[in-house]
Amino acid sequence: MAEPHRVRDALRSSMTAWATLTVRGDQAHVALAPDLDVLASQLDAIDPGWSLGWHCDHLDPPVVRARLSVLGATREGLATAHTLQDAKLAALADLARTYGVTPSSESLWVEYDPEDGANTSELETDAPAPRPLSRPLPPEAPRDPQMEKARRHIEDLLEQLKVAGKGGDAARILMRGYGETLEESRAIYKELHSLLKT
């Protein structure tokens, strides 16, 4: 039987990230959203089989659908934002509302710098501290140095594609992630690399 209050608590305690919704000149409109790292650690303790998926409905402006499955229940959130990553966070915040979690702060306008992004350093979040886990988490699997290297190569290539004006095409490819295995990462790298030649 689903225990939505546990998921609600996990979402509420993870509301410490800021999604940039829109940018107008040197101002950005930001809203509180769940921090994925904090949320993941909380959900691992609730349901080790939880899953979170993303679907990009539109690229410019980015419109993303988040789909969370935990404890046998699946819920979705939909949002648009300034960048693909911000849209993912905003969609997760929209999903949190289906559990009755509303941000402790209204959306705000802050200073925006094209290189540094939205200045949220002085904004406060009132998220409660995460509850202690009822059972310890298993030790984290050792990181594969080859996978880390593959990820860095993909990120370097992504920067080249952005400079070449092909960031949107690259984002479509990366919607499914960087790959779970070395072979998948290599295939994604080749697919991205082919964009540079077109």
Side-chain angles (χ1 to χ4, degrees):
M1 173 154 179
E3 298 179 64
H5 65 281
R6 295 179 69 197
V7 180
R8 184 181 313 114
D9 288 346
L11 285 161
R12 186 175 292 124
S13 67
S14 69
M15 291 289 258
T16 58
W18 292 94
T20 301
L21 304 179
T22 56
V23 172
R24 290 191 189 138
D26 62 352
Q27 296 287 306
H29 191 211
V30 298
L32 262 176
D35 180 293
L36 286 172
D37 293 332
V38 175
L39 180 61
S41 67
Q42 292 288 302
L43 293 178
D44 283 341
I46 296 169
D47 176 9
W50 71 275
S51 67
L52 177 61
W54 311 98
H55 177 70
C56 184
D57 288 1
H58 193 265
L59 269 177
D60 192 18
V63 178
V64 172
R65 188 177 308 274
R67 183 180 177 95
L68 176 66
S69 296
V70 61
L71 294 171
T74 300
R75 301 204 181 168
E76 286 190 352
L78 179 70
T80 184
H82 181 61
T83 66
L84 193 59
Q85 185 61 33
D86 287 311
K88 289 169 84 172
L89 286 176
L92 197 52
D94 186 57
L95 184 152
R97 287 183 189 88
T98 69
Y99 280 94
V101 177
T102 54
S104 58
S105 170
E106 294 295 317
S107 57
L108 303 165
W109 286 93
V110 296
E111 292 179 359
Y112 178 80
D113 180 278
E115 290 181 16
D116 298 329
N119 181 6
T120 59
S121 60
E122 295 181 16
L123 299 181
E124 293 182 15
T125 61
D126 295 329
R131 291 185 179 181
L133 302 177
S134 56
R135 62 181 189 270
L137 291 176
E140 188 175 327
R143 294 184 184 261
D144 180 347
Q146 293 219 330
M147 284 296 290
E148 296 291 323
K149 188 175 179 183
R151 177 177 288 273
R152 283 195 303 272
H153 285 308
I154 289 173
E155 288 170 351
D156 291 343
L157 183 56
L158 182 57
E159 289 304 313
Q160 292 176 40
L161 287 164
K162 285 179 183 174
V163 169
K166 298 185 180 185
D169 295 329
R172 283 189 199 93
I173 294 170
L174 291 175
M175 280 304 292
R176 61 183 183 264
Y178 287 23
E180 298 294 320
T181 65
L182 197 54
E183 291 74 28
E184 288 177 8
S185 291
R186 286 179 177 148
I188 290 168
Y189 182 87
K190 286 179 185 173
E191 195 174 349
L192 289 169
H193 198 268
S194 68
L195 290 176
L196 278 179
K197 299 176 183 176
T198 57

